Structure formats: C-alpha cells, structure tokens
Amino acid sequence: MAFNPINWLLGLFSLDIAIDLGTANTLVNVRGKGIVINEPSWVTMDKRLRQPIAIGLEAKEMVGRTPSNVMVVRPLRDGVISEFDVTQIMLEYFIGKVHEQSVVPLPRPRVVIGIPTGVTEVEKRAVYDATMGAGARQAFLLEEPIAAALGAGLPIGEIKGSMVVDIGGGTTEVAVMSMTGVVASRSLRVAGDEMDEDIVQYLRNKYNLLIGQGVAEKVKWSIGSAFPLPTEKTMEVRGRNLVTGLPETIEVSSVEIREALSGSVQVIVDTIRDALDEIPPEIVADLMDLGICLAGGGALLQGLSDRLSDELKLRVWVAEDPLSCVARGAGMIFDDFDRLSRLLVGLERGSTRHSV
Ligand code: ADP
Ligand code: MG
C-alpha cells in the first residue's frame, strides 16, 4: 500500500483496523500502516486447563507434534465460528499485537471484519461479539466477497456485473455482484484443506504411505496443479509405510498429484458453473469483458485459472496478491467511510451494542 501522509496523521489519533478472519489465515490491516499481521488461524490449547499455549504461526508449527495434553484448535475451520471462546482469544491476541507494535499508546480500534456470505444471524452476532469482546470500540461486518472484490480493484459500484471466487482453507465462496450488492452466491466446504486431505488419501491408497497434513500442504504448494503444466515436476515425500511401519521416502509427480486433486477441483468448477447458470444474461455479458477474478490462497494452485477458463469459456484471472485481497479490501472501507459504509452488513434488531 502506498504511503499516504493524511492516513498516517489520522492514525496518530485513532486506530482503524480491518481483519480477515480466515479459516486458514488471519490478516490484520492497520489504516496508515498496511498489513501488520499475517498468521495462521490456529491455536494450541492445554486440554485440561482450556488455556492457550500458542497462537498463530507458532501453533501451526506444533501441529502433528503435540503431546496428548495439548489440542490443536482451528476455531473457524468451516468458515463459521465453531469455537467462540477460542476465536475471541485469538482476536484479542492479534489486536494486542497491533498495540504492542506501536511506540505510542493506541486507542481502542474501530474494526471492520470479514464474514462469509450467507451466514446466519447467530453467526454474524458471534463474529460481532467476539470482535467487541476482543477490545474493539466499534465493530462492522463486511461480506468477504465484497471485500475481496474491493481488494482486487473490481468496479463493484458500477452497473456492471462482476464475479469473485475466493478459495480459502475451509471454504470456497463464489459471488456475483452488481451495484455493490450480491446477485448470486455459493458457499462450498471444499477448498485448500480438502485438497490437502486428497493428497493424504491418494498416497495412502497408492503407496501405503502415511503423511501428515502439513507435508500434504507443502506437496500441493510445490507440485499441485489443476491443468497440465508446461513441464511436469516431481518431488520426494517422506512418511511412514503403513505395511512395514517404517519411515519411507517416495518420489511423486505433479501428474499424480493432479489426479489426487481432480475431484475437489471438479467440485469447484461445477459450483462456479452452477452460479453462472443462475445469473441474468446481461451480467453474463458483463463477465465476458471483466472475466472471473480468483482470490484466496487456493487461487495460487498452479493451472487453476487455465482449467477454469477452459471449462467455463470465460477469461479467468488471479487477483494481485490473492492471499491479502480480503484484508486490503476491508481496509478500503475506512478510506472513504461515508460512501463505502453502506456496503457493511447490519445486524438485526435486539442488539444493545449494535453499531452498524
Ligand atoms: P482463508 O481465507 O480460509 O484463511 P486463505 O485465503 O488464507 O484461506 O488460503 C489458504 C489456503 O490456500 C490454504 O489451504 C493453503 O494451502 C492454500 N494455498 C496457499 N498458497 C498456495 C499455493 N501456492 N498453491 C496452492 N494452494 C495454496
Ligand atoms: Mg479468506
């Protein structure tokens, strides 16, 4: 983000932060500073005391190596807050870190926080309450695809349709927007985590090799793909042979991993096709110009945009820095709050702390 002296000055007297509370990663974007926190949404807890041991990156590194009294929690795993207390602990920790990073004492922040489309009123309230409970002065909710579209620079205020597909860890969100509203949307619990699981299953079935989720994720990053690569690759993978019980290293190819991922990729393709089926022809015509924008970490899967263009006959492009799109887009709300605050999601009546 370019340095803006006005924002910097404002930042001395107030604190505005945008949070992308993702199923895989949490990003915190501080107005005037940019993204200051980018860590996995993971917490390790002491099982008996229900106390956190580590949060963020440190917690993710512990995965697969924890003793029996330690449990690993991903409080947002499926895109909604399944563990309210842990979510609040995590938010408190990240907001606290923003305060720690400052040399001058900071006021309690105004917070814009992303929520998936189609969440229930109860879930919205849970996100709102967790944010307020974590020390926010005011909390505002913003639908993630709108944040992603803003972050990707899509013209969502115009009378033109655009489409964002945000592929995260736990969920894939497909949204078609026009005139700052969502025209059609789909939310799918098939995304990056499911792909990691596909790789674990594939290697177990084909080679009797048991690998951890963390290793599977690294295999996906290095040689995972959704479309034939210009030059196919191979990589060595370490695990335990399930027959002998002994450690083993095998060589796998990108062709094999593509086969492993094909089921999940196809589900994503079909869901987008489904959403396209539902939208008015005027918007389909707009999409022929604008194409489909991919955001979220899953957008980085090699060949995914080629595969989607091939199947959907539309141009498909990856947003710049897809992993930070939602956090950057949510932060833009503060840059023009009077005009853009109408994009925020209201909570239904009955809330005493309602501030939207
Ligand atoms: P969320 O918004 O749910 O927190 P993110 O947008 O942060 O999710 O994306 C996280 C997902 O993106 C993870 O499943 C991760 O493995 C995946 N991912 C990140 N980089 C790559 C890559 N280079 N190739 C494939 N998948 C990737
Ligand atoms: Mg996300």
Side-chain angles (χ1 to χ4, degrees):
M1 185 191 278
F3 177 73
N4 180 332
I6 296 170
N7 283 352
W8 178 79
L9 260 179
L10 280 173
L12 290 180
F13 304 106
S14 65
L15 180 60
D16 291 334
I17 66 183
I19 302 181
D20 170 9
L21 190 60
T23 64
N25 298 297
T26 298
L27 281 76
V28 181
N29 181 1
V30 177
R31 185 169 185 211
K33 286 195 184 144
I35 290 166
V36 296
I37 291 167
N38 180 356
E39 292 204 43
S41 314
W42 298 58
V43 180
T44 45
M45 309 269 294
D46 184 301
K47 263 188 201 159
R48 207 167 44 82
L49 303 172
R50 288 276 308 168
Q51 297 265 340
I53 294 169
I55 299 173
L57 194 60
E58 204 188 338
K60 190 175 178 185
E61 277 169 358
M62 291 178 180
V63 172
R65 301 189 175 95
T66 50
S68 60
N69 62 324
V70 175
M71 61 177 182
V72 180
V73 186
R74 290 182 62 189
L76 301 143
R77 188 160 199 135
D78 295 318
V80 292
I81 295 188
S82 50
E83 298 260 358
F84 183 82
D85 298 349
V86 186
T87 305
Q88 190 162 321
I89 288 171
M90 202 172 74
L91 278 173
E92 260 169 35
Y93 170 79
F94 289 133
I95 294 176
K97 255 187 145 178
V98 171
H99 285 267
E100 266 171 36
Q101 288 172 356
S102 168
V103 279
V104 289
L106 294 170
R108 286 168 63 203
R110 286 199 299 177
V111 177
V112 166
I113 189 157
I115 51 162
T117 40
V119 298
T120 63
E121 206 54 36
V122 172
E123 288 163 345
K124 278 188 219 164
R125 168 113 6 215
V127 178
Y128 177 83
D129 287 345
T131 313
M132 292 301 282
R137 175 163 55 91
Q138 278 182 301
F140 306 101
L141 308 180
L142 176 66
E143 285 182 297
E144 277 164 8
I146 300 214
L150 281 170
L154 287 173
I156 62 166
E158 289 173 23
I159 309 175
K160 226 173 190 248
S162 51
M163 183 176 208
V164 170
V165 179
D166 179 352
I167 306 168
T171 58
T172 295
E173 306 271 337
V174 181
V176 179
M177 286 156 288
S178 173
M179 295 188 284
T180 60
V182 174
V183 178
S185 69
R186 292 280 185 286
S187 180
L188 179 71
R189 304 231 156 141
V190 174
D193 293 340
E194 187 79 15
M195 295 182 194
D196 302 344
E197 188 54 40
D198 291 340
I199 295 174
V200 172
Q201 290 302 339
Y202 182 89
L203 296 183
R204 180 203 287 253
N205 295 342
K206 186 160 178 187
Y207 296 107
N208 279 318
L209 187 79
L210 184 66
I211 62 165
Q213 292 268 343
V215 173
E217 188 177 35
K218 292 196 175 97
V219 172
K220 175 183 71 177
W221 291 344
S222 318
I223 62 169
S225 64
F227 203 67
L229 300 174
T231 33
E232 299 292 350
K233 306 174 198 171
T234 58
M235 116 178 236
E236 287 192 340
V237 180
R238 284 185 196 170
R240 177 158 51 90
N241 185 299
L242 284 166
V243 179
T244 63
L246 298 173
E248 193 177 61
T249 305
I250 59 159
E251 196 177 77
V252 291
S253 74
S254 49
V255 178
E256 290 175 290
I257 300 303
R258 188 158 58 246
E259 187 188 328
L261 301 179
S262 63
S264 294
V265 170
Q266 192 61 50
V267 173
I268 295 174
V269 174
D270 292 344
T271 305
I272 302 174
R273 199 195 304 270
D274 215 41
L276 282 171
D277 260 359
E278 189 188 298
I279 58 180
E282 288 82 357
I283 295 184
V284 176
D286 295 339
L287 295 183
M288 286 175 168
D289 290 333
L290 268 180
I292 299 174
C293 172
L294 301 184
L300 293 168
L301 182 70
Q302 294 172 72
L304 185 62
S305 50
D306 297 331
R307 168 72 183 275
L308 289 170
S309 312
D310 190 57
E311 294 227 20
L312 304 169
K313 310 293 173 224
L314 284 168
R315 186 168 65 89
V316 180
W317 51 284
V318 178
E320 196 182 324
D321 194 5
L323 280 156
S324 70
C325 241
V326 169
R328 284 183 290 113
M332 286 177 184
I333 297 283
F334 292 120
D335 295 340
D336 191 358
F337 197 80
D338 290 342
R339 196 173 66 87
L340 295 179
S341 58
R342 67 199 167 95
L343 298 177
L344 298 166
V345 178
L347 288 175
E348 264 170 23
R349 283 173 169 279
S351 160
T352 46
R353 291 186 291 178
H354 177 71
S355 64
V356 180

